[in-house]
Amino acid sequence: MGPRRLPRVLLPAVAFLGLLFLSGLRLPEVQLSACVRGGWPCGWLGGRGATAPPEQDGKPPHLSPTSGSRLPLPRHGTPPPPRAPRCPGQGFQISNLLAAFRACVTPEGEILLQEYLAGWKELIKLIDTLGAAFGLLARETQTKMEILEGHRSGPHAPHYRTLQAMVAFELRRGRVGLRVLPPDQPPSGSRTLLRLHRALKWLELFLGKLGRSGAEDDPSQLCAEAYQAALAQYHSWWVQQAAGLAFLALPSRRELYGLVCAEGEREAQAVLLEAVGTIAGVYNVTQQLYAACGLLELP
């Protein structure tokens, strides 16, 4: 039996990867309460003589995660790149993924949650194509998206239009649960999106490696390297071993390139790298906001 067929025999062992891949196992509890005052991020507490931002009209100041950021933001006002090819009859359309994530970041650097979730809907279709071992992962991701959709359509919907507004609202109301998840509250949008955010980095790295790969490169190894860099630190040893088995079931490099329906390998690589740049722009804005608010290590 060839090594690529082994995971299909061991699917029961691999399947539970999907249950935990984005669920975010409990991380070591960290003292984050010191980073928040009155429900607002207190980066100013570490500076001498610094004071909290003043309130305006009785309301907390608007979070401005992009000021002073060293992370690159999406560029606006530049001509869009050539339209990505479409694949008739195929569920996953990279053109739809690019359109959603390009529309995700406003000129002011805010993340629109509706467009962010639209981009993830396309990523779920991509995950579905990676093989049966990733089916539970796709369903777990869908569950997290439903939590965010519930917040967006709930009684506090106006606060869930953008990522920045959501984080500010949940911090101000004490809904995040900086050390533990409050048992009497549904999962917060901030905690839920953090799990998607971590997985987005994995996909960004994997697609980037795939877009720069050569004929001698094995997609299973590329995916494993991306996982080690982005997600492994949040998973137990057992989950990491299950992940390694799941990656062995990935389609071939040629099959993965076929998902973007490009004319030849060079065009496929260009389309993949264009998607990576777009995803990275969204990831960087989110990363900077969560870092500024002390939320990157939520349990």
Side-chain angles (χ1 to χ4, degrees), residues 6-288:
L6 180 60
R8 293 180 172 85
V9 180
L10 299 179
L11 278 180
V14 178
F16 96 107
L17 162 69
L19 293 172
L20 298 177
F21 218 77
L22 290 181
S23 61
L25 297 180
R26 294 182 60 84
L27 303 176
E29 293 188 358
V30 291
Q31 297 293 333
L32 293 177
S33 57
C35 299
V36 176
R37 183 170 65 190
W40 285 87
C42 298
W44 58 84
L45 290 179
R48 295 181 178 179
T51 58
E55 294 189 351
Q56 299 178 357
D57 301 325
K59 297 180 180 180
H62 174 68
L63 289 177
S64 182
T66 58
S67 59
S69 172
R70 295 182 180 179
L71 295 172
L73 299 179
R75 299 177 61 186
H76 297 280
T78 57
R83 179 173 297 180
R86 297 189 62 85
C87 305
Q90 179 174 286
F92 171 67
Q93 299 286 340
I94 198 165
S95 57
N96 293 341
L97 184 150
L98 287 169
F101 280 121
R102 284 172 184 161
C104 183
V105 185
T106 70
E108 295 74 29
E110 294 189 306
I111 300 290
L112 300 172
L113 288 181
Q114 181 176 348
E115 285 73 13
Y116 182 87
L117 294 176
W120 260 106
K121 288 178 182 178
E122 294 304 315
L123 286 176
I124 288 179
K125 296 175 184 178
L126 173 61
I127 293 171
D128 277 334
T129 68
L130 299 182
F134 292 87
L136 289 177
L137 166 61
R139 288 192 288 274
E140 180 67 15
T141 306
Q142 182 64 44
T143 298
K144 297 186 184 307
M145 293 175 58
E146 290 172 358
I147 292 173
L148 290 168
E149 289 286 9
H151 285 302
R152 288 191 62 253
S153 60
H156 303 292
H159 299 285
Y160 289 86
R161 178 177 175 272
T162 70
L163 172 63
Q164 286 78 359
M166 175 184 76
V167 169
F169 172 73
E170 293 189 341
L171 283 174
R172 189 167 67 248
R173 294 293 186 90
R175 294 173 177 265
V176 175
L178 295 176
R179 297 185 60 186
V180 295
L181 177 65
D184 58 339
Q185 295 183 14
S188 70
S190 301
R191 296 167 63 99
T192 301
L193 192 138
L194 177 60
R195 273 57 180 176
L196 296 178
H197 175 66
R198 292 168 179 167
L200 191 64
K201 187 62 176 180
W202 163 58
L203 289 170
E204 174 201 327
L205 293 177
F206 173 51
L207 295 179
K209 289 176 179 292
L210 187 64
R212 292 183 290 269
S213 66
E216 71 283 359
D217 293 313
D218 181 3
S220 298
Q221 180 63 30
L222 300 178
C223 196
E225 292 172 357
Y227 171 77
Q228 287 296 322
L231 280 174
Q233 62 181 308
Y234 305 111
H235 295 157
S236 70
W237 182 88
W238 293 105
V239 175
Q240 293 180 37
Q241 304 314 302
L245 289 176
F247 299 149
L248 292 177
L250 282 172
S252 68
R253 182 170 171 271
R254 179 182 295 273
E255 291 172 318
L256 290 171
Y257 276 0
L259 294 175
V260 301
C261 296
E263 293 292 335
E265 180 174 297
R266 180 171 298 182
E267 183 181 350
Q269 291 177 325
V271 172
L272 284 172
L273 293 179
E274 176 63 32
V276 168
T278 302
I279 291 173
V282 175
Y283 176 88
N284 287 342
V285 175
T286 307
Q287 178 78 0
Q288 205 264 313

